[in-house]
Structures are given as C-alpha cells and as structure tokens.
Amino acid sequence: MNVPEMFGSMVFNDHVMREMLPKKVYLSLRNTMNEGKALEDDVADIVASAMKEWAVGKGATHFTHWFQPMTGITAEKHDSFLTVDKEGSVIMDFSGKELTKGEPDASSFPSGGLRATFEARGYTAWDPTSYAFIKDDTLCIPTAFCSYTGQILDKKTPLLRSMDAISAEAVRALELFGKHVKRVHATIGAEQEYFLIDKSDYAKRIDLRLTGRTLIGAPAAKGQEMEDHYFGSIRPRVKAFMADLDEELWKLGITAKTEHNEVAPCQHEMAPIYDNANKATDANQLTMEMMKKVAERHGFACLLHEKPFEGINGSGKHNNWALSTDEGENLLDPGKTPKDNAQFLLFLTAIIKAVDEYQDLLRISVASAGNDHRLGANEAPPAIVSIFIGDELESVLKSIIEDKPLSAKASSRLDIGASVLPKLARDNSDRNRTSPFAFTGNKFEFRMPGSSFNIACTNVMLNTAVADALKDFCDELEKADDFNASLSFLIKRELEKHRRILFNGNGYSKEWEEEAERRGLSNYKRTPDALVHYCDKKNVELFKRHGIYTKEEMESRLEISLDEYQKAIRIEAVTMTELLRRQILPSCLSFSSELAESVQRKEAIGIPAYADRSLCMSVSTLCEELKQKIDELDECVASSPKDTLEASIHAADKIIPAMESARKVSDSLETITDKALWPIPTYSDILFYV
C-alpha cells in the first residue's frame, strides 16, 4: 500500500487545483481560502469545469452540495452531470452557478420556528475553504445552508463566522507584540470514541436499532473492572476494520493517525492530526459516516451513542483546541519559561476569562439526552465546567496573582531509575482525565462533547467567547501609554478575577461539587437545566457583538435543542414499552408457566417442588410488577405537555425515572429467567462476542 499516493486521492485538494487551474485562478482561490476574502465571480466557472473534469476522471457521475443542517448530521441531494446540448446530444457539464449555489427543499429540516413549513426554499452556498471530495461516485461540495430570507439553518455558517471573529481579535493581539500576520486559525483535533458490536446482535435488539443504546440489560459477570481491554492487543477482526477505515479516510484526506482499544469491552478510539476548525469538523462528520459504513462491511454495527451500555464507560469526543498563525506559530505553546512569555500569558488569560464568563455556553454545547448519561459518571468530566492547567502553570499564575517569586521548578526530565532506559522529557502539565477543559502542553482538550456530536457548536461557543475576551484586552491595551505595565496589570487583574474556574484536583469528588458551588460555578446536570440559559441576555449580546447569531437564530436553536431532547426521550420510552410488552413480558410469562406446570407434574407424583415453586413465585411477582411499570411508563408518555420546554422538563422529571424503574424490574427478571427463553442478546452476548 502506497499511503502517500493514496492520501487525498479522492479530494480536490491544493495539489490537484495547482495542476488543473490556470495560475491566476489558482492564486485567486487560494487567496479566498487563506485570507477569507470573497471569491471573484469569473473564477467559479473555471473551477467548476476543472472540478467536473477531475471528478468524472475518478468515476463520479453525480454531484451534491454536502451540508450540515440542524439535525447534527450531514445532508445531500444528488444531481448528475448529465445535460443535453442544442443538438440533443448528452454531455457531462457542471457550471459555476451549480458549484456556488444549490436549492434544496428546506421544508423538513429543523428551523426552530424561523420560518413556516410551507416556506420550502433553502439555499446552499459553496464553502471554498473546505475541499470538495468524491464519496460513492458523487462529487461532494461542502456548503453552507440558509433559508430564503437569509437566516442560517446549518452548523457550518456560524462556525465560519466564529473563526473570522477569533482570527480578527487574535491578529489585533499579535499586533501589540509587533507581529503582523494575516490570519489566526482555531485548530482542532477531534478524538472519536465508538463501540463495535456484532451486527447479528444489533439486529436482534430494537432498542439499539431505534435509539442507539440498550434500554434494558443486566450487567455481565465481567465488565471493565479487570482493565484488560484498555490499550490491549487489538483483535484481528477489529484490526481489519481499522485498516479498512484508515484507507477510506486517507483517500478523503482525513489524517487518521491513532487507533487503540478503549476502557470498555468492544470500545475503541480513533484520533486524527489537527486541522483548522472548519476542515476538522467536516472531517469528523465524514469519519462518523465512514465508521458506520466500514463496520457493516466487516459484520459489525458501529455505535456512536454516548452511553450504549449501562454500567460500563460511554463514549466521548475530545475536542483538542489551539490557535495557530498562518505562519505556523502555535499561540498556546508556553515555551521553556512560561513566566517570561507575555504573549502566551495574554492568550492563556483570555481563555481563562472566556471559559469562566461563558461556562454555561460550553455546557450547553454538549447538552443532549445521550450525554446526560455520561457526564459525571466517573468516566467523563462532570457537568461542572472548570480548567486544569497543571502544577507548573498553576505556580506561574499564582506567582503573578500574589506578586511572589516563582518557586524553583522541578526537573524537566524524568529519571525512571533503570540505566538502560532513557531519561524522558517531562511535559509542563499532567493529564487530568476528570477535567472538562484541560491544558495538555500546547493546546486545550475539551473532554465534554459526546461521541455522536457535531463539534461545530462547541467550537462556535469556544471561538466566540475567546474572541470576546481578546477584544476586551485589545480595546484596553491599544490605548495604553505604557504597554508592558498595562499588560502586566491586565493579566494580574483578570487572573485574580477568574481564578475560580481553575481546578487541578479530582473532578469526580463530592468535595469538588461542594467547592464549585461555593465558588459560584454552574452545575447543570440535565440538558433542560442547561438549555434554558442559552438565550440569557449576556449570551445573546455576545453572539450579536461578533455577528455570529441574531437573537431570533438563537431562539430557534434553543427550540430545536429542546425539541430534540424531548423527542429522543419519548422515542426511548415508546421503544422500551414495545420491547417489554411484546418480547420480555411474554417470554417471562412463558417461563413462569413452564415452572407452574413443573410444580404440578412433580407434586402429582409426590415429588417436592420447592425450588420450582419458589422460582415460579419470584418470576410471577416480577411479571406483575413489570406489567404495572409498563402501564405507568405509558401514562407518563401520554401525559407529556405540548409546550417544548415543559415537555423537556416532563421528560427529565417523569419519563426518565419511569424508564429506570421499569428497567430495574426487567433486569431482575433477566437474572432468573431461563437463558433459552430470554428473547434478546444479553450484555454477555454483545460485549464478549467471538
């Protein structure tokens, strides 16, 4: 396998553009991509012609505007290149207009009340900063998506706006240090966790097929307590899947780099090399799609739900975020002496201020029915947003705040104590797996997003909040008579003001929850509790200030998120009642009948049937209780309010507890029912397949 030759072979990337486009057109397009300047009108037709020629040469017959509506997944409508000329002959054609603008029917996509259902027209607009690619013999053109009246209906547009906002303010900040750059990029590396289970087991479980998670299931005799799966030897069948996935991703120019077993049985992780936030988001959406497709080829089902199985770790998506100039300088690299790196300290202080002031937005960006099961469950960060910076940086910031000399730092190298082993370079921070937002050497790792999430929303929040902090700093420092004195004063003042968000300890402890409350940090454990703060005045003003969202666009997103939450819970509840009523209860009643018949037969000939009778009583009693729980769950679903917010609160307060109560009875039945009669694959079957 020639990986360099394969990599990006299905992407209309810079190498292809340089070869196929006239130099003037290529430079114009690169100018648009690098500096965010508007595309010149006469460029589109030439680019479209070259793109079509390249795609057809790769076997493509159709094109599509590939976009990211508010569903969180991608959407596409395919059109063939086929057209008929004046002589009636069929030719393959693709115009600049078709490249730059599409018109899908937008009526069935979530709009959160921005427009009426009958207002069907929507527009897709080419995003030239993200490369076109070929998937399933179709040329896919990354696009933004808006309504007929121009309101944004997608996840890409606000992300692009937030990237412009943070670039503009970061460029201003660098000017203060005498550095003149054209653009600063928010860069992302999205680690993706997932489960692989046997496709035959998946097909037999309606809960997995309809909701993505198991709604019932007693624990297997063995789970993850032996810690033997994490970084363990990868099974050949899984390794074959990973190799196939790598090839598919490499063809699409996605830099799949790391793969390993995760903590839970059947759980794995893939990590790419970082890229700018827009490309990284597109790549992650493609990665999730390819994981599912490739898994099917290998007889697997890929689960991206945040909590597919109760009692073992769920799956997240770690959002590694940094800032980099167009010249390649990482603005979050502290250097060898962070205390003397004023530029780094200014950017670090801006991030601390941003996360503290907009901790609610970061929590909102990861709020979902699935992620509520995972956050704070001793496997993921808690719902409390805090920042981990490590001991070295903590001592630096403490010395600044308290005006004290920096204590002597520990050796930067680790001596493991064996002469044959090298002395290892020590990073300037450890890894705190309980921290939601952790500094990891030259970037921040935001560990709260769920595995199924589109990371655009998280990075919109993060980019905009940091841009706002940098704006405040620049507005103040640009007026300063003595820059160095003003900079020192500002950093000390802001660190002191926002010190409460810094926490290096155990985020799982009860003590931290109590301490966070004393510090005034938010702790929204359930999605509705977080979402109601989305349109708080300070948040509306933040996004308006930087041109990211209008108030109406924010209100629509709030409505969509609440509706998505309550629908997800409702679907789970209805699926659960069907599973319990039509599969579990009949099977357990059959077992009870068999036991009753056994009691009758034995006692008729004078044989004691104590065990049969006792087990029959236990099963019968639990069956009666389960029937009652099913009826109660039905009633909870039926009594759900029509108002979206009220329905979401009802789902959290009433439906979820009713589901948990019914599950408890079902799981008890599973532990005593004849395995041959249990109608669905158990955790032991699913998690420990051959």
Side-chain angles (χ1 to χ4, degrees), residues 221-526:
K222 177 188 176 185
Q224 63 189 48
E225 61 273 15
M226 298 301 292
E227 299 175 341
D228 53 348
H229 191 256
Y230 190 52
F231 277 50
S233 177
I234 300 171
R235 286 187 283 184
R237 185 178 169 193
V238 174
K239 182 60 180 172
F241 157 83
M242 289 178 170
D244 197 359
L245 176 65
D246 282 343
E247 286 191 33
E248 294 291 348
L249 295 179
W250 290 339
K251 289 175 187 176
L252 293 169
I254 297 171
T255 53
K257 175 76 172 176
T258 303
E259 56 197 27
H260 62 84
N261 289 346
E262 257 298 336
V263 175
C266 300
Q267 189 185 33
H268 312 280
E269 182 178 298
M270 170 273 195
I273 298 172
Y274 69 90
D275 206 337
N276 79 55
N278 183 34
K279 290 181 182 177
T281 299
D282 286 356
N284 186 250
Q285 291 297 109
L286 274 173
T287 296
M288 290 190 288
E289 179 184 339
M290 285 300 160
M291 280 179 169
K292 287 182 173 290
K293 286 184 176 180
V294 174
E296 192 166 346
R297 292 206 295 256
H298 290 262
F300 288 122
C302 177
L303 306 181
L304 293 173
H305 193 282
E306 284 69 36
K307 191 74 169 178
F309 305 99
E310 189 172 274
I312 63 172
N313 280 13
S315 295
K317 177 149 37 199
H318 302 166
N319 189 86
N320 292 281
W321 181 90
L323 293 172
S324 180
T325 70
D326 51 9
E327 297 173 358
E329 180 186 3
N330 182 351
L331 301 179
L332 299 188
D333 185 349
K336 294 181 179 179
T337 54
K339 179 73 161 63
D340 302 321
N341 191 337
Q343 177 185 292
F344 166 74
L345 289 173
L346 180 67
F347 279 93
L348 177 65
T349 304
I351 293 166
I352 291 170
K353 169 182 166 70
V355 173
D356 185 27
E357 292 185 343
Y358 296 102
Q359 54 188 277
D360 55 343
L361 287 180
L362 289 178
R363 172 65 180 93
I364 287 164
S365 78
V366 300
S368 77
N371 215 23
D372 281 358
H373 294 290
R374 171 180 162 267
L375 293 178
N378 287 347
E379 62 191 65
I384 305 165
V385 176
S386 64
I387 299 177
F388 168 84
I389 55 172
D391 292 339
E392 181 179 352
L393 281 183
E394 183 182 41
S395 63
V396 168
L397 299 192
K398 184 177 180 180
S399 74
I400 292 172
I401 294 170
E402 299 178 358
D403 280 328
K404 293 180 179 178
L406 184 62
S407 59
K409 69 175 183 177
S411 169
S412 62
R413 305 193 76 80
L414 289 170
D415 187 349
I416 303 176
S419 60
V420 297
L421 298 178
K423 289 183 173 60
L424 303 177
R426 187 200 306 266
D427 291 319
N428 56 25
S429 70
D430 196 355
R431 288 196 166 208
N432 186 329
R433 288 304 185 185
T434 73
S435 175
F437 197 75
F439 185 72
T440 55
N442 60 3
K443 57 183 170 55
F444 278 95
E445 182 181 30
F446 187 42
R447 303 184 66 247
M448 294 178 79
S451 53
S452 66
F453 275 52
N454 183 318
I455 56 173
C457 182
T458 282
N459 289 295
V460 167
M461 307 296 199
L462 189 52
N463 291 346
T464 309
V466 175
D468 198 61
L470 288 171
K471 179 182 184 302
D472 287 347
F473 291 178
C474 291
D475 288 347
E476 179 176 338
L477 293 172
E478 285 170 352
K479 300 172 185 175
D481 293 327
D482 185 334
F483 171 70
N484 289 328
S486 298
L487 176 62
S488 297
F489 174 79
L490 181 149
I491 289 174
K492 180 179 184 298
R493 181 194 70 208
E494 294 297 323
L495 289 176
E496 201 164 15
K497 182 178 179 182
H498 300 289
R499 192 177 192 176
R500 66 173 185 168
I501 201 72
L502 302 177
F503 178 65
N504 283 356
N506 179 10
Y508 295 156
S509 70
K510 183 67 176 176
E511 290 76 14
W512 165 234
E513 190 170 335
E514 294 167 353
E515 171 65 19
E517 185 176 359
R518 285 194 292 271
R519 294 188 187 190
L521 302 181
S522 60
N523 184 11
Y524 304 126
K525 295 184 178 181
R526 308 182 310 176

Side-chain angles (χ1 to χ4, degrees), residues 193-197 201-203 205-216 292 301-310 312-315 369-371 373 451-452 567-573 575-576 579 659 663 683 686-687:
E193 294 176 345
Y194 60 98
F195 279 83
L196 289 178
I197 66 171
D201 289 332
Y202 176 82
R205 295 216 38 155
I206 189 175
D207 50 358
L208 278 174
R209 289 188 282 113
L210 296 189
T211 73
R213 75 181 185 102
T214 53
L215 301 175
I216 62 173
K292 287 182 173 290
C302 177
L303 306 181
L304 293 173
H305 193 282
E306 284 69 36
K307 191 74 169 178
F309 305 99
E310 189 172 274
I312 63 172
N313 280 13
S315 295
N371 215 23
H373 294 290
S451 53
S452 66
K567 282 179 177 175
I569 301 300
R570 184 184 180 89
I571 289 169
E572 286 185 352
T575 302
M576 187 178 206
L579 175 58
M659 290 175 64
R663 176 178 188 148
Y683 276 22
I686 297 172
L687 295 172

Side-chain angles (χ1 to χ4, degrees), residues 548-613:
I548 311 298
Y549 296 122
T550 63
K551 183 179 180 181
E552 292 72 25
E553 287 168 340
M554 290 184 67
E555 289 171 341
S556 75
R557 277 155 176 75
L558 172 59
E559 178 70 16
I560 289 168
S561 297
L562 288 168
D563 191 49
E564 183 182 77
Y565 174 82
Q566 65 93 12
K567 282 179 177 175
I569 301 300
R570 184 184 180 89
I571 289 169
E572 286 185 352
V574 174
T575 302
M576 187 178 206
T577 56
E578 179 179 347
L579 175 58
L580 294 176
R581 182 178 284 118
R582 300 182 63 187
Q583 291 185 266
I584 303 304
L585 191 55
S587 297
C588 294
L589 289 172
S590 295
F591 182 48
S592 176
S593 296
E594 285 187 11
L595 290 169
E597 290 172 5
S598 176
V599 171
Q600 285 182 328
R601 288 194 301 268
K602 286 183 178 180
E603 290 184 342
I605 60 174
I607 299 176
Y610 303 125
D612 309 59
R613 182 180 293 276

